[in-house]
Structure formats: structure tokens, C-alpha cells
Amino acid sequence: MSTVTAVPIPPVKRSYIVWLVLGIVAVLVAAAALAFQGDDFLARNARQKGVMTTASGLQYQVLTPGAGAKPTDTDVVLVNYEGKLLNGTTFDKSQQPTPFPVTGVVPGFSEGLKLMPKGSKYRFWIKPSLGYKDKATGPIPANSVLVFDVELIDFLPETVLRQMQMQQQMQQQKGGAGAGAGAPPGAPAGPGGR
């Protein structure tokens, strides 16, 4: 015959239960806070006054309207820009007007540029799938929403820019290295003195 021996369980102090409940509540609050970042930010942002969303999910706001034509995939733009993360950390900023091909940047930035007429300034919110996706890039963590303020100064078709560069190189070869056509001796050739 077997007998079951009862082992008494000592009572748990009430303060331990209170701390356990508070810990669980803190974890739930932290989880809710994390849930409101990323894509939830974009859902809230889309409801803000003046924010428009394209079919791809790019969000933008016109800060300063421009006028005239808009760049295409075959153009090179001249812009001032500042890129930030949602927490306000600046990860890139132009020091002077910067030229680059419209298709030479992340898809969301490229799409946004094609919305901008000359002289305009826009703010873009680029979701991860239109940015760097799940890859960390330098100071940009994986799956980051990117925020850019962009001023479109001018743009030219890439073919025209190449022709201008070839003409400039030919003039430099004829006039000697270092001085551009019409420049005083010793003056740097090309934009920015490069």
C-alpha cells in the first residue's frame, strides 16, 4: 500500500505577487510602444494634414512648391538634402548642391524626385521596402523608415550633361590643364573646383 505524502507549500508573500504583476504590465507597455514604431508610424503619418501617399507607399509633403517640368529616370538632378531616421538622427546631409542620377538612389527617393518640379522642397517618408529593406547600411539600421528633406535646384538629361562634360574636357585639353575656358590662369576648372 502506498501513501501520498503531502508537501506543504509555503505561502508567497503578497509583495512578490505585486512585483510580478508590475513586471508583466511593464513588458506589455514596452511591447505596445514597440508596436507603434515603423509601419504604425507611417499609418499615423498618412493621416497628417498635407501628407500624401503614392500607390507604392511613399509618403511626401510639399514644403515649398516649385514650377515647371519634373525630372525623369534619364535625368541628373542637383539637390540639397538631409536624411534622418525617425528618432531624429541625421545619417546624411549634403554640404553643397549635389548632383546624381535619378535612378542612382533608393527606389523611394527616386520616386519622390520624379514628383518634384524645379525649385520645390519636399519631405519624403520612405518605408523600408522602398529604402534599404532588411539590410543595415552604415548608420542606418535594417528596416528603417527614412525621412528626407529635399530641395530640387535643377536637373538635366544625362546625355546633355555628358556632352557638357566632354566639351569641358576638350576645352581643358586645348587650354592646358587647370584653367577652364575664360577662367583666369590658376583658377580651378569645373564646378566646386574639383
Side-chain angles (χ1 to χ4, degrees):
M1 173 167 164
S2 73
T3 61
V4 177
T5 306
V7 177
I9 299 176
V12 178
K13 290 184 180 179
R14 185 174 295 230
S15 63
Y16 291 155
I17 294 175
V18 169
W19 284 109
L20 179 63
V21 169
L22 288 176
I24 292 171
V25 168
V27 167
L28 291 174
V29 168
L34 288 173
F36 282 114
Q37 293 180 349
D39 289 341
D40 288 331
F41 166 82
L42 293 172
R44 289 190 314 273
N45 192 54
R47 294 188 294 270
Q48 298 298 318
K49 182 179 180 183
V51 174
M52 293 167 264
T53 305
T54 66
S56 71
L58 171 70
Q59 293 181 356
Y60 68 97
Q61 182 177 29
V62 177
L63 303 175
T64 304
K70 298 175 184 176
T72 66
D73 283 338
T74 60
D75 292 330
V76 174
V77 295
L78 184 64
V79 298
N80 284 316
Y81 68 92
E82 181 174 10
K84 295 183 178 184
L85 301 174
L86 287 181
N87 66 10
T89 302
T90 298
F91 60 83
D92 194 10
K93 183 176 182 178
S94 60
Q95 301 302 316
Q96 61 188 14
T98 305
F100 51 79
V102 170
T103 57
V105 292
V106 295
F109 199 97
S110 178
E111 179 183 354
L113 287 171
K114 293 183 275 187
L115 299 171
M116 299 177 70
K118 285 184 185 180
S120 62
K121 184 172 182 180
Y122 281 31
R123 179 167 294 147
F124 304 140
W125 291 272
I126 301 173
K127 66 183 185 174
S129 64
L130 296 175
Y132 294 107
K133 303 177 183 166
D134 60 354
K135 295 176 182 68
T137 304
I140 304 170
N143 296 309
S144 291
V145 173
L146 309 175
V147 183
F148 280 97
D149 285 342
V150 181
E151 177 187 15
L152 179 62
I153 298 167
D154 202 357
F155 64 90
L156 289 170
E158 190 172 4
T159 55
V160 171
L161 184 63
R162 287 182 197 268
Q163 288 173 350
M164 291 170 58
Q165 288 173 337
M166 288 176 52
Q167 288 173 350
Q168 184 180 19
Q169 287 175 353
M170 289 174 34
Q171 288 175 350
Q172 285 178 353
Q173 289 173 354
K174 288 180 183 178
R194 293 181 192 187

